[in-house]
Amino acid sequence: KQEVTQIPAALSVPEGENLVLNCSFTDSAIYNLQWFRQDPGKGLTSLLLIQSSQREQTSGRLNASLDKSSGRSTLYIAASQPGDSATYLCAVRPNYQLIWGAGTKLIIKP
Amino acid sequence: DVKVTQSSRYLVKRTGEKVFLECVQDMDHENMFWYRQDPGLGLRLIYFSYDVKMKEKGDIPEGYSVSREKKERFSLILESASTNQTSMYLCASSLGQGTDTQYFGPGTRLTVL
């Protein structure tokens, strides 16, 4: 059974730092992996989607990588800002549904 | 932009009540989903629908039912609400082409007393 783990559960860093969020999954048979952002009391917003044939995707200050063989993905955030404070979730798609990690709560201190 | 709306942001109900949560999307998406989100557990799929009047059980369908009479609307029904159904409920939709992303509504925080 596919399981997705995100470590750490929470992270607090000063503004301006570069940081990496981690996501691991147990079964490499996936169609894609996605990173989402969730702001308090709100729904989720898709940040990046990496197809199983891809190694990385970039959007602005965000870069997500995928290593299927090791069951790992990272989300790199460059030059962090207070507006980046949110919970970040990763999800893998083995079939018709997404399997979710529990998220990493990120706080960027001004 | 895709817009997914949910009928209520906050809802308080009593044990045993029948509860309806409504979700509407405006982009003609084929697929619609209902999740619940609990601290430390991530999102868990309750039901999804890939077409009008079609539904499939997710990982935790017990105590819930769904209805999709029109393509744009997907309803989640708690037949007899219980305290362990207190949670954040999230609706999502996707185009339906296999590897596409899902678009989420703002969520409904349901409290069952």
Side-chain angles (χ1 to χ4, degrees):
Chain A
K1 180 184 176 183
Q2 178 75 266
E3 294 182 359
V4 180
T5 303
Q6 292 184 250
I7 295 174
L11 183 63
S12 179
V13 301
E15 179 179 4
E17 281 198 8
N18 302 324
L19 60 98
V20 174
L21 305 181
N22 297 295
C23 173
S24 61
F25 48 96
T26 55
D27 189 342
S28 62
I30 60 172
Y31 287 108
N32 61 46
L33 181 145
Q34 300 180 53
W35 283 93
F36 291 81
R37 168 185 173 137
Q38 184 175 30
D39 293 283
K42 297 186 179 180
L44 282 69
T45 302
S46 179
L47 297 173
L48 290 164
L49 184 153
I50 312 176
Q51 302 291 357
S52 62
S53 58
Q54 298 174 323
R55 294 296 295 240
E56 65 178 343
Q57 283 285 336
T58 298
S59 176
R61 294 182 294 108
L62 305 179
N63 176 276
S65 69
L66 174 63
D67 183 343
K68 270 181 45 177
S69 60
S70 66
R72 294 179 187 275
S73 176
T74 61
L75 179 66
Y76 175 82
I77 303 176
S80 59
Q81 303 170 358
D84 295 329
S85 297
T87 297
Y88 291 80
L89 296 99
C90 72
V92 299
R93 192 172 185 277
N95 45 47
Y96 59 85
Q97 69 177 68
L98 294 175
I99 308 298
W100 297 81
T104 294
K105 183 175 183 179
L106 177 63
I107 296 174
I108 306 298
K109 297 176 289 186
Chain B
D1 283 350
V2 175
K3 189 170 184 181
V4 180
T5 58
Q6 296 184 228
S7 51
S8 304
R9 294 297 303 274
Y10 300 94
L11 208 52
V12 180
K13 295 292 182 181
R14 298 211 173 270
T15 301
E17 281 193 76
K18 190 168 186 176
V19 181
F20 293 87
L21 303 181
E22 302 284 339
C23 176
V24 178
Q25 50 92 5
D26 66 356
M27 284 301 290
D28 202 36
H29 281 178
E30 300 289 334
N31 298 337
M32 296 188 75
F33 307 82
W34 274 108
Y35 295 93
R36 64 176 283 176
Q37 184 179 28
D38 300 289
L41 295 179
L43 275 73
R44 292 179 291 169
L45 182 66
I46 304 171
Y47 269 97
F48 77 100
S49 168
Y50 53 89
D51 201 352
V52 176
K53 296 189 185 296
M54 305 303 289
K55 61 185 179 185
E56 291 287 342
K57 293 180 180 179
D59 296 324
I60 51 166
E62 295 78 20
Y64 303 94
S65 62
V66 291
S67 172
R68 195 169 180 198
E69 296 297 318
K70 295 184 178 181
K71 192 175 186 179
E72 67 270 19
R73 187 180 298 270
F74 193 35
S75 302
L76 179 69
I77 303 155
L78 286 66
E79 297 291 343
S80 177
S82 63
T83 55
N84 62 13
Q85 293 178 309
T86 292
S87 186
M88 170 71 91
Y89 289 87
L90 293 165
C91 174
S93 71
S94 69
L95 190 58
Q97 293 182 347
T99 57
D100 57 287
T101 193
Q102 294 182 14
Y103 298 86
F104 283 80
T108 295
R109 183 164 294 282
L110 173 67
T111 301
V112 182
L113 302 176

